[in-house]
Amino acid sequence: DTKLTNLFLRVDYPTGFEYKSSDRKPAEKNNLWEIGDLESGKEGLIQIFGIVNDSIGGVSNFGASVGSRSGDDILSLDETTSALALRLPHLGVEILPNGEREKYIASAGEEVSFLVEWKNNLPEIMENASLEVVFSGDAIDFSSVRVRDGSFILKDKKIIWNPSSYKDFSSVLPGSSGFTGFSFKIKKDISLHNIAKNPVLRVQASFKPGKSVPGFEEVGVLGEDEIEIPISSVIQFSQK
């Protein structure tokens, strides 16, 4: 049996890939991990999370190599490549602050309006659909939440749209899409106990059927989106 020592794993990302996190801390940058010693027959797993920014139907190639490190290079003992083809999700949902797809920064005391776009990309009718939006963070004035055709549940910090409030969700035809919306105000008195930690608001959305969709019973049919909105605060100084 052969023991391999001082091994590293390098992953080469395709153009347009945005690294978010991994279950093990990289040794350097966001694509190099120290494996250390590896006994014969031993296996390991590193999970990498990110976003592929490419057009539907595009193919993104990922590469990985394992070996010893020599400066900025890896003296590869083994390497592999894998192609990832992008397709539309079964269900689409997107959160649009102030109706825009650009990254948004809110100000303390500001009222922010959101559109939530949904779409059924399945070839089948989806019945009794529901859409949920969940908030996290302490920046929202929850007394100011306003919802179009849905219900806000304060204790869960979430909004729900279902067929009882939003009739379009009773039966969603293949390819059909639409918008709904909500708004709230950012607190004026956001506490900045630590100036280095700027407050961030997170908004998560999930879109799903109420009944199993014919032909997709064994497949997870769910549309999801999540955005982060940094909150800028105006800090005033007075002279004494």
Side-chain angles (χ1 to χ4, degrees), residues 31 61 121 125 136 150 167 220 222 227-228 238:
N31 71 330
N61 293 300
N121 295 315
I125 294 175
S136 58
K167 294 182 179 179
L222 177 68
I227 63 171
E228 291 187 352
S238 61

Side-chain angles (χ1 to χ4, degrees), residues 217-234:
E217 292 86 355
E218 304 300 322
V219 180
V221 178
L222 177 68
E224 294 180 297
D225 190 25
E226 177 178 347
I227 63 171
E228 291 187 352
I229 300 177
I231 310 299
S232 64
S233 299
V234 178

Side-chain angles (χ1 to χ4, degrees), residues 169-187:
F169 282 173
S170 296
S171 182
V172 185
L173 296 175
S176 63
S177 61
F179 292 88
T180 187
F182 61 94
S183 65
F184 55 72
K185 289 182 179 179
I186 305 296
K187 290 179 180 177

Side-chain angles (χ1 to χ4, degrees), residues 95-111:
I95 308 165
L96 308 172
N98 284 344
E100 302 292 335
R101 287 185 165 84
E102 303 297 325
K103 185 174 178 65
Y104 188 77
I105 300 176
S107 301
E110 177 185 357
E111 181 173 12

Side-chain angles (χ1 to χ4, degrees), residues 24 27 45 64 72 120 130 140 143 146 197 210 216-217 224 230:
R24 285 179 57 178
L45 176 68
D72 293 332
N120 178 13
S130 65
I140 299 175
S143 67
R146 300 291 181 267
K197 281 190 172 182
F216 294 85
E217 292 86 355
E224 294 180 297

Side-chain angles (χ1 to χ4, degrees), residues 3 19 28 54 78 82 101 153 187 192 196 207 240:
K3 178 180 179 180
Y19 171 90
E28 190 176 298
D54 199 355
D78 194 14
S82 181
R101 287 185 165 84
I153 303 174
K187 290 179 180 177
L192 292 180
F207 182 42
K240 292 186 178 180

Side-chain angles (χ1 to χ4, degrees), residues 6-236:
N6 299 322
L7 293 179
F8 284 81
L9 167 70
R10 186 185 70 198
V11 177
D12 297 314
Y13 304 125
T15 301
F17 179 77
E18 182 182 348
Y19 171 90
K20 288 294 186 180
S21 64
S22 57
D23 61 349
R24 285 179 57 178
K25 184 178 179 180
E28 190 176 298
K29 298 180 181 179
N30 60 15
N31 71 330
L32 185 68
W33 287 263
E34 183 176 2
I35 297 175
D37 299 343
L38 197 63
E39 300 284 351
S40 177
K42 186 177 179 181
E43 297 180 351
L45 176 68
I46 294 177
Q47 296 186 73
I48 301 170
F49 306 92
I51 298 173
V52 177
N53 297 297
D54 199 355
S55 58
I56 299 301
V59 177
S60 298
N61 293 300
F62 291 80
S65 55
V66 175
S68 58
R69 186 175 183 182
S70 176
D72 293 332
D73 295 326
I74 295 292
L75 302 178
S76 178
L77 297 175
D78 194 14
E79 55 189 35
T80 185
T81 59
S82 181
L84 176 67
L86 296 184
R87 62 165 177 78
L88 285 171
H90 295 312
L91 301 179
V93 62
E94 188 172 10
I95 308 165
L96 308 172
N98 284 344
E100 302 292 335
R101 287 185 165 84
E102 303 297 325
K103 185 174 178 65
Y104 188 77
I105 300 176
S107 301
E110 177 185 357
E111 181 173 12
V112 187
S113 298
F114 294 80
L115 288 178
V116 184
E117 182 180 14
W118 54 266
K119 185 173 184 180
N120 178 13
N121 295 315
L122 293 167
E124 301 290 339
I125 294 175
M126 182 173 64
E127 296 184 356
N128 296 328
S130 65
L131 172 64
E132 291 189 5
V133 167
V134 181
F135 309 112
S136 58
D138 299 319
I140 299 175
D141 175 3
F142 286 110
S143 67
S144 69
V145 175
R146 300 291 181 267
V147 184
R148 183 197 309 171
D149 300 322
S151 302
F152 174 56
I153 303 174
L154 177 59
K155 67 181 181 67
D156 297 325
K157 297 182 179 180
K158 72 179 179 181
I159 299 172
I160 297 178
W161 292 266
N162 55 36
S164 64
S165 63
Y166 191 50
K167 294 182 179 179
D168 288 0
F169 282 173
S170 296
S171 182
V172 185
L173 296 175
S176 63
S177 61
F179 292 88
T180 187
F182 61 94
S183 65
F184 55 72
K185 289 182 179 179
I186 305 296
K187 290 179 180 177
K188 293 182 180 180
D189 57 343
I190 297 174
S191 177
L192 292 180
H193 296 298
N194 185 347
I195 299 299
K197 281 190 172 182
N198 292 323
V200 173
L201 166 67
R202 291 180 177 84
V203 184
Q204 298 169 297
S206 60
F207 182 42
K208 60 185 178 182
K211 294 182 178 180
S212 60
V213 180
F216 294 85
E217 292 86 355
E218 304 300 322
V219 180
V221 178
L222 177 68
E224 294 180 297
D225 190 25
E226 177 178 347
I227 63 171
E228 291 187 352
I229 300 177
I231 310 299
S232 64
S233 299
V234 178
I235 304 174
Q236 296 181 338

